[in-house]
Amino acid sequence: MICIETQHFNLNRTLLLAIGLWPYQKSKLVQFQTILFFSILISFVIFQLTAFITTICTVDFIIETFSTALVFNFYVIIYNMFWINTHHVRNLLEQLQYICNELRDKNELAIIKKYGYYTRRFTAIFTLLGICTIFFLILLPIWPHVFGTLLHINKSRIENQAIQITNEYFIDQEKYFYLILLHKNAVFCIGITTLTATGTTLLGCVIHICGMFKIASYRIEEAMSTKMLKNINLKNQTMIYKKIFYAVEIHRKTIKFTDMLISSFEGSFLLLIMFFVISLSLNTFAVFRNASLGNKEVFLFHLLYVFTIYLDMFLYNYAGQEITNYSNHVYFTAYNVRWYLAPLGVQKMILFILQNGSKTFHLNIAGLFVISIECFATLIKASMSYFTFMYSVQQ
């Protein structure tokens, strides 16, 4: 028997526990932790927007502020997405466990274990990438202080160089510099951990969906194998019926599970797509703007933002494309087997799969976006169009 929580999502569980979003064992201490972390994230966005109260609003200032505020707003949206949908996350994991519990064939167990290994491996890779990003963002503001001590550079000049994100705390920022820096570092740690934990959990669900489609293909191939079709007696005919029935059943459950995954987070996904396009446009503009002005530290920040947005957009759309590809593979498997040699009843069951597979299965967000590589290209094209417009107006 496979335990999804401990065998496939063990690292995801640790990451979600660290930020208070694991859907099980919600004690009062965990609830306090969740409220505290969410407050830290949203307060950072608010303190960026309050800068409009005390600063003269030029076009450069507006773009600079919104380009960073929208990036940190991703953390708020994603954290809130898992927080308010805790029961949906729990239902998804339980449904996945239920499907795995029904697997009895050793080859089917081997398939799902293989995709569970993929889940652990990708989670480990993105966790390592997240840790490296956290260290980079924490150490970047400190380097000017280190060099300032060694080279005897003016302290106020160092602090102005170190603070790259526009905030308004309504306090003396030089006096409380390290307290403000602590707030920023806490946001980086919580935000990137949130992005990693939630993203890899959703990615793990997608990987298991691909594994279940693979099992459906395997069951069809086994039912229609040459050995079965050579001697169609009553025993073999009953066996073929059962295997085709189980193939149809897991195919149906996989589609139902996928629809549940999308419907649980549909509103948040739609909001994220909108912010992805706007934020990518603004940060791409900020990269070119700061590169031309020679602001190296700010340039690095925005370049990191652009890379992160590109990576997230690509991964989400690539995951949707993979689900479509695996769903199509079930259709091609049913089409390519020698179904015409099977009994009439089996042919009708295979026809059911062919009819379902004749219409390509997509991850559809609110009827507006079909998650795929083509969608990724469309979003990039849209964001580059907005960037080109801003750049031409600025010139």
Side-chain angles (χ1 to χ4, degrees), residues 92-221:
L92 285 170
L93 293 175
E94 289 174 353
Q95 186 65 27
L96 196 57
Q97 182 65 62
Y98 172 73
I99 293 171
C100 289
N101 288 344
E102 293 185 327
L103 302 178
R104 294 291 182 267
D105 186 283
K106 64 178 182 180
N107 292 324
E108 294 175 4
L109 290 170
I111 290 171
I112 205 68
K113 285 179 181 178
K114 176 183 175 182
Y115 285 84
Y117 167 74
Y118 290 156
T119 299
R120 295 195 306 272
R121 185 173 68 177
F122 282 116
T123 302
I125 291 171
F126 288 118
T127 300
L128 182 61
L129 182 62
I131 291 170
C132 293
T133 304
I134 289 171
F135 274 108
F136 172 78
L137 291 173
I138 289 176
L139 292 177
L140 189 61
I142 297 175
W143 285 120
H145 285 259
V146 175
F147 289 123
T149 304
L150 295 175
L151 301 176
H152 306 289
I153 299 176
N154 183 269
K155 181 180 177 183
S156 62
R157 181 184 166 191
I158 292 296
E159 292 183 355
N160 288 332
Q161 290 178 347
I163 302 175
Q164 304 301 335
I165 302 171
T166 303
N167 300 88
E168 181 53 69
Y169 289 89
F170 302 105
I171 57 175
D172 187 343
Q173 296 205 13
E174 289 188 9
K175 182 178 179 181
Y176 296 100
F177 171 77
Y178 290 103
L179 188 61
I180 293 171
L181 186 62
L182 177 64
H183 185 209
K184 291 180 181 179
N185 291 340
V187 170
F188 288 140
C189 293
I190 298 169
I192 293 172
T193 304
T194 299
L195 199 63
T196 305
T198 56
T200 54
T201 301
L202 293 175
L203 183 61
C205 290
V206 169
I207 290 172
H208 281 79
I209 288 170
C210 295
M212 289 186 285
F213 276 131
K214 186 72 175 177
I215 291 172
S217 300
Y218 165 78
R219 287 179 176 178
I220 294 171
E221 290 173 345

Side-chain angles (χ1 to χ4, degrees), residues 49 54 68 103 171 222 230 317 335 350 379:
L49 297 179
T54 58
T68 54
L103 302 178
I171 57 175
E222 280 293 298
K230 267 185 178 180
N317 284 281
Y335 184 81
I350 293 178
L379 295 176

